Amino acid sequence: MTGFREAVVDLDAIAANVRHLRAQVGTPHTMVVVKANGYGHGAVPAATAALVGGADWLGVADIAEALELRAAGIDAPILAWLHAPEPDFAAAVAANVDLGLSSTRQLRQATDAARSAGRVASVHLKLDTGLSRNGVPEPDWATVFALAAEAERDGRLRVCGIFSHLSNASPADDAEAIARFERGLAAAADAGLAPELTHLAATAAALRVPEARYTMVRLGIGAYGLSPFDDATSADLGLVPAMTLQGQLASVRRVPEGTGVSYDYTWRADSDTSLALVPFGYADGIPRQASGRAEVALDSGCHPAVGRIAMDQFVVNLGGTPAAVGDRVVVFGDPATGVPSATDWANAASTINYDIVTGIGNRVTRRYTGGAAGC
Ligand SMILES: *Cc1c(COP(=O)(O)O)cnc(C)c1O
């Protein structure tokens, strides 16, 4: 039975995607990234499914996201890498959450938190190799490595990993970043650091830049069954999109030629036609920019969205196709089943599929099928 407005998440698909990607990549360790509510799929169910698929690390941006996983009873290693100016490292260390650190300030904060908790903080030093975001910039590497080595000798922290993130700007840019990462690893070794884990690749580089794999890859989008590439679909990569966004038609009506639809009447019926109302809007993460450029699937096939996408709803032109209130409508799902994909919606809105799935709003009920369903 289809709910009024729901995202159905296939946990078996997440587990299978992780298993498939691990087999392709072959690194000793696999992190699955479940930040941003598991890319909109639900962090705890996504994490559980990823572990079933063989992930041995979980990644999040914020400590609060890591603590949510711990509170749900997930005891796998977790890395959190984006921190507030005064982060709650004490809570993270107490919950056995590894810290990605990007500055001498954060290194001191982690050391202080470990000292007051009477524990050893497990940390991964994050190096900037080109993105100019939150890694340690190259001029600061020596200072950070020396400080980290000293804290290790004092028994306050353990440098378990060194990592960075690629821009995917071009193969040449990624090669330059890899060379810079190699310089960083060499400098860390010179400072006496011997991390077990070195990691650089997210999904795209894990699949296409073998020299970026090191000892662990960090898989996000691919685990959810979506392609990070413009030139390859999910099916091309052997992946199954885990999320189906679907609902029930809220109304169906006949209108005469010339009828205007939705705000500003950006579309008018050019003949007598049937219109159906889909109960998803931009408040639910359906991009308003896709107005007039996307399709949805009914049992009868795909039909175009027409007129402006509003906050709560949009209209579909059925032509002469019959439909009834309550009929199932799929906004996106696995295109192998004949429905539009999240990537189709992304293209219609000039954005990326990551933006579509992470943007699905709280008003949309998450429903789980497969493996660990029921959580
Ligand atoms: C989000 C993120 C990932 C996952 O990236 P995908 O492209 O979704 O695989 C990996 N590493 C870091 C540091 C990230 O922020």
Side-chain angles (χ1 to χ4, degrees):
M1 177 66 190
T2 302
F4 179 55
R5 197 190 270 130
E6 65 182 6
V8 180
V9 176
D10 181 353
L11 298 175
D12 288 344
I14 294 176
N17 291 330
V18 171
R19 211 173 284 125
H20 175 72
L21 290 166
R22 286 182 63 229
Q24 307 273 297
V25 169
T27 44
H29 300 277
T30 307
M31 175 182 289
V32 169
V33 180
V34 297
K35 63 190 178 189
N37 194 29
Y39 286 43
H41 296 66
V44 170
T48 306
L51 295 169
V52 169
D56 60 344
W57 276 82
L58 299 169
V60 293
D62 297 8
I63 287 169
E65 295 178 307
L67 297 179
E68 182 196 338
L69 299 176
R70 285 282 182 261
I74 292 173
D75 58 9
I78 304 176
L79 176 65
W81 55 70
L82 185 60
H83 308 300
E86 299 296 336
D88 195 352
F89 283 165
V93 171
N96 218 7
V97 170
D98 280 49
L99 298 169
L101 302 181
S102 292
S103 63
T104 52
R105 173 191 171 107
Q106 290 179 351
L107 202 49
R108 290 207 171 84
Q109 288 168 325
T111 310
D112 290 347
R115 185 178 299 114
S116 51
R119 299 181 66 136
V120 181
S122 183
V123 309
H124 299 221
L125 301 177
K126 184 168 191 189
L127 310 183
D128 182 16
T129 56
L131 274 177
S132 308
R133 303 196 314 190
N134 76 334
V136 182
E138 187 162 359
D140 298 347
W141 288 352
T143 311
V144 166
F145 293 152
L147 206 61
E150 187 189 317
E152 259 194 355
R153 282 192 299 272
D154 293 346
R156 288 298 164 213
L157 58 82
R158 166 95 194 89
V159 178
C160 167
I162 295 187
F163 74 118
S164 186
H165 194 45
L166 293 171
S167 69
N168 306 322
S170 71
D173 287 300
D174 285 349
E176 194 180 320
I178 291 169
R180 219 182 269 190
F181 190 58
E182 289 287 337
R183 284 206 297 280
L185 296 180
D190 287 347
L193 299 175
E196 296 115 59
L197 296 172
T198 47
H199 46 112
L200 181 60
T203 303
L207 289 172
R208 291 203 174 161
V209 189
E211 59 276 23
R213 288 174 185 162
Y214 294 93
T215 61
M216 180 163 78
V217 293
R218 301 183 305 267
L219 306 173
I221 200 75
Y224 303 100
L226 299 178
S227 170
F229 305 119
D230 291 336
D231 62 356
T233 65
S234 299
D236 293 340
L237 301 176
L239 301 173
V240 177
M243 183 190 290
T244 301
L245 191 72
Q246 64 178 24
Q248 295 173 302
L249 293 182
S251 91
V252 178
R253 70 191 57 214
R254 284 298 292 176
V255 298
E257 177 184 344
T259 300
V261 165
S262 192
Y263 294 122
D264 305 327
Y265 293 166
T266 57
W267 185 88
R268 284 178 188 273
D270 60 8
S271 60
D272 295 359
T273 190
S274 294
L275 302 177
L277 188 64
V278 180
F280 287 88
Y282 56 78
D284 305 301
I286 302 303
R288 186 171 177 275
Q289 297 89 326
S291 294
R293 299 156 173 256
E295 295 190 325
V296 301
L298 303 184
D299 282 348
S300 52
C302 289
H303 301 278
V306 293
R308 285 253 199 271
I309 292 167
M311 189 183 296
D312 316 303
Q313 51 192 292
F314 64 91
V315 173
V316 169
N317 181 24
L318 300 179
T321 307
V325 169
D327 282 0
R328 174 177 184 243
V329 53
V330 176
V331 179
F332 64 76
D334 180 356
T337 65
V339 302
S341 65
T343 308
D344 292 332
W345 277 89
N347 292 338
S350 304
T351 185
I352 54 175
N353 49 20
Y354 297 68
D355 191 6
I356 301 297
V357 288
T358 57
I360 299 306
N362 284 334
R363 197 163 62 177
V364 178
T365 305
R366 267 66 172 178
R367 183 156 69 79
Y368 296 96
T369 63
C375 48

